[in-house]
Amino acid sequence: MRKFIPFIVIVIFSGLVFGQSVNARNYLDYRGAKSGHSYFEDRANINLGWNDFSAGLVYWARQPSRFNYTTNSDTTFSDITQYWFNFYSKNLQLTAGSFTYTMGMGLLIDLYEKQDIQIDHHCDGAMFDFELGPLELSGFNAIAKWDDNSIVRGISPSLKIWKLKLGGEYAKIIPTLLPSQELSGGFLSFDWNFLSLYGEYGKKHPLAGLEKDGDGVFASASILTDIITLTAEYKDYNEFAIRNTFVQYNNPPTLVMDPLYTLPSRHIHHVDFNNEMGYSADLLGDFGSFGAEIMFSHSENHDGDLKFDKIWSELEYRNDALTFLAKGAFDFQNNNGENAYTPIVDITYEPDWTKFGFNIIGEFQHTDDFDNVYSSISASYPKYATFGLESGIIEDENFVRVYTDIDIINRTKIRFGYGKRPGGFTCSGGVCRYEEAFEGIEAQIIITY
């Protein structure tokens, strides 16, 4: 911690003397478990901006942290986990310190952060992005602390001509004790009026020859009109987990929609980037007060086994005059022969005769082994508070939880919850974290400075 004190002093002094904007936010999370896992966390961030420069830091304390059931780990620490200086100009952006970086659609490299599922793949080093007319060149060189201080570096040039954009990709990962991996690939995109096309290819080459070479392909095509949008996508991943299943540097598209409600998160498809191919199609329509969507996705391994099919359909009705929104949805999953059917109703209503707003959600799920039920009802008084009740039965076990969001204190949001939560997956961008069932007290305080 002491090594960061000069940095903190410089950032605060610069903000006071030269600062044009200063913002900060602190998240305090507490969970006291009667059954399940307890944790206590605090995360604070500050960002200062002046002219073409900005600087900031993130302080994070986990004592203890949220338990990770995937890696069976529970890390307790208290430290400044991110710090950065940024410079912006018309043609150049430079970052020194902590940063995230994505090549293409994340096929080769995606150094990302997803706070809601407790994944932080920031790297510490330097990153640049240079643009001059149709030419663009970006690159980075950094240390991945979350991968035992492995070195990772890369560069990506691209050229844009008319509606076409062509780019190359190269990266190298140098672990502390294990063999290095080289990554190479390229992408091509086309965007014109109602048509959008994209294709990307990547190759993984372990230098010591102890692992197999791998490759990945992703392609998509979209047609956009004022009424409908149609998107089709294709994937083929073969020995393409970089660098391994638990410590990955890439985050390629999964083509599987993240679960949007509670019960669909009980059963998800774990994408195998070492052996999976598939496709998806998504059709959206907007017709006055009505909106509709239907999506189908299919995956299987290269031997034609472990098949997964998912259908998501949704019909939405909006009445702005009555501030009324009603959704009916249906989620179907066939995961290697195991079926799950989930119809969902979601209604939001803010009647003129009261200042309150109401939300009601009902979900029913039929699986080969269980029938699950989830319901939620909440009432809110805008800008002041929300009160809610969740209940249901999942795998023959009842649960009830009450919660409230309080906004009456300036720049402070307070959240309380008590009762039992069902277990399930929390997903973001195709990356999922499993949360065990929990019973007890939850509290969160968010302060904005």
Side-chain angles (χ1 to χ4, degrees):
M1 179 68 183
R2 291 180 179 176
K3 64 182 179 180
F4 292 111
I5 291 178
F7 175 84
I8 298 173
V9 173
I10 292 173
V11 169
I12 294 176
F13 177 78
S14 300
L16 293 175
V17 177
F18 305 106
Q20 295 182 354
S21 66
V22 180
N23 59 77
R25 182 167 290 186
N26 188 85
Y27 298 84
L28 183 67
D29 280 291
Y30 170 75
R31 178 180 280 188
K34 181 179 179 182
S35 64
H37 184 72
S38 298
Y39 64 77
F40 184 74
E41 298 183 357
D42 187 77
R43 180 185 174 99
N45 61 65
I46 182 171
N47 193 74
L48 311 173
W50 61 98
N51 297 328
D52 297 328
F53 297 89
S54 68
L57 59 84
V58 174
Y59 167 79
W60 200 350
R62 293 178 169 183
Q63 300 169 337
S65 68
R66 304 187 191 188
F67 191 78
N68 190 326
Y69 290 90
T70 302
T71 59
N72 198 34
S73 64
D74 186 1
T75 304
T76 296
F77 67 86
S78 176
D79 208 343
I80 291 179
T81 58
Q82 297 176 33
Y83 50 96
W84 61 88
F85 289 97
N86 292 329
F87 167 75
Y88 307 92
S89 70
K90 180 180 179 181
N91 303 108
L92 180 65
Q93 176 185 343
L94 293 174
T95 298
S98 306
F99 61 86
T100 60
Y101 185 91
T102 299
M103 282 185 175
M105 297 294 289
L107 202 69
L108 287 179
I109 289 290
D110 189 6
L111 307 175
Y112 58 91
E113 179 186 17
K114 301 181 185 296
Q115 294 184 25
D116 49 348
I117 56 177
Q118 298 287 291
I119 292 180
D120 186 357
H121 283 185
H122 275 88
C123 285
D124 294 339
M127 183 267 291
F128 72 92
D129 189 357
F130 175 74
E131 292 186 48
L132 183 61
L135 298 174
E136 182 178 358
L137 180 66
S138 64
F140 65 96
N141 185 64
I143 295 175
K145 291 183 178 179
W146 45 271
D147 186 22
D148 195 24
N149 290 328
S150 296
I151 296 174
V152 55
R153 55 177 65 111
I155 191 167
S156 178
S158 64
L159 174 65
K160 187 173 182 179
I161 303 175
W162 188 52
K163 307 297 181 180
L164 289 168
K165 185 174 183 180
L166 173 66
E169 302 166 331
Y170 174 81
K172 188 173 183 179
I173 300 169
I174 309 173
T176 305
L177 299 175
L178 296 175
S180 301
Q181 291 186 354
E182 278 189 331
L183 315 172
S184 58
F187 64 88
L188 177 66
S189 66
F190 174 80
D191 290 288
W192 183 47
N193 294 336
F194 62 87
L195 181 63
S196 179
L197 303 174
Y198 183 85
E200 186 174 3
Y201 171 78
K203 187 174 182 61
K204 177 188 77 172
H205 177 54
L207 295 181
L210 300 178
E211 299 179 43
K212 296 180 180 179
D213 286 0
D215 51 33
V217 176
F218 169 73
S220 70
S222 297
I223 298 175
L224 303 92
T225 70
D226 294 335
I227 300 177
I228 65 169
T229 299
L230 174 63
T231 300
E233 297 179 316
Y234 171 79
K235 65 179 177 182
D236 188 348
Y237 305 135
N238 184 23
E239 300 294 340
F240 205 56
I242 305 170
R243 139 172 110 81
N244 58 53
T245 303
F246 298 103
V247 183
Q248 286 188 220
Y249 285 79
N250 60 337
N251 182 33
T254 64
L255 311 195
V256 179
M257 177 184 289
D258 289 339
L260 303 177
Y261 290 87
T262 299
L263 294 185
S265 74
R266 302 288 305 171
H267 311 272
I268 65 168
H269 172 60
H270 292 279
V271 180
D272 183 3
F273 294 119
N274 282 325
N275 186 7
E276 183 160 303
M277 59 186 300
Y279 53 86
S280 72
D282 188 15
L283 177 64
L284 296 95
D286 197 345
F287 311 94
S289 298
F290 290 91
E293 178 180 10
I294 182 167
M295 178 179 182
F296 172 77
S297 57
H298 171 81
S299 295
E300 61 184 59
N301 64 17
H302 289 90
D303 296 326
D305 300 326
L306 301 178
K307 294 182 179 180
F308 172 80
D309 294 299
K310 178 182 176 70
I311 298 175
W312 169 265
S313 60
E314 178 181 322
L315 180 64
E316 177 181 287
Y317 170 74
R318 304 176 298 272
N319 189 321
D320 295 334
L322 297 177
T323 58
F324 178 81
L325 175 64
K327 296 181 181 180
F330 181 77
D331 181 273
F332 166 76
Q333 298 180 35
N334 181 343
N335 198 342
N336 199 31
E338 296 183 3
N339 296 322
Y341 309 84
T342 311
I344 300 164
V345 175
D346 187 343
I347 299 173
T348 301
Y349 183 36
E350 299 178 5
D352 294 336
W353 47 268
T354 176
K355 294 183 179 181
F356 286 92
F358 303 93
N359 178 245
I360 300 173
I361 298 175
E363 305 176 37
F364 173 79
Q365 185 177 76
H366 172 74
T367 71
D368 295 343
D369 299 317
F370 296 97
D371 285 337
N372 300 321
V373 178
Y374 171 85
S375 64
S376 170
I377 182 170
S378 65
S380 62
Y381 192 85
K383 299 182 181 181
Y384 290 96
T386 298
F387 300 92
L389 172 69
E390 297 177 332
S391 63
I393 177 170
I394 293 180
E395 298 184 3
D396 294 334
E397 185 173 348
N398 297 313
F399 68 91
V400 177
R401 174 178 173 266
V402 294
Y403 64 90
T404 181
D405 287 358
I406 301 173
D407 297 306
I408 58 176
I409 304 175
N410 187 34
R411 296 184 178 181
T412 302
K413 177 182 284 291
I414 302 174
R415 294 172 173 169
F416 289 109
Y418 177 75
K420 185 183 294 186
R421 276 183 180 269
F425 290 91
T426 300
C427 301
S428 177
V431 183
C432 297
R433 173 190 174 92
Y434 185 74
E435 293 282 354
E436 290 281 355
F438 164 82
E439 182 177 6
I441 298 174
E442 297 171 285
Q444 183 182 67
I445 300 176
I446 303 173
I447 303 174
T448 302
Y449 304 95

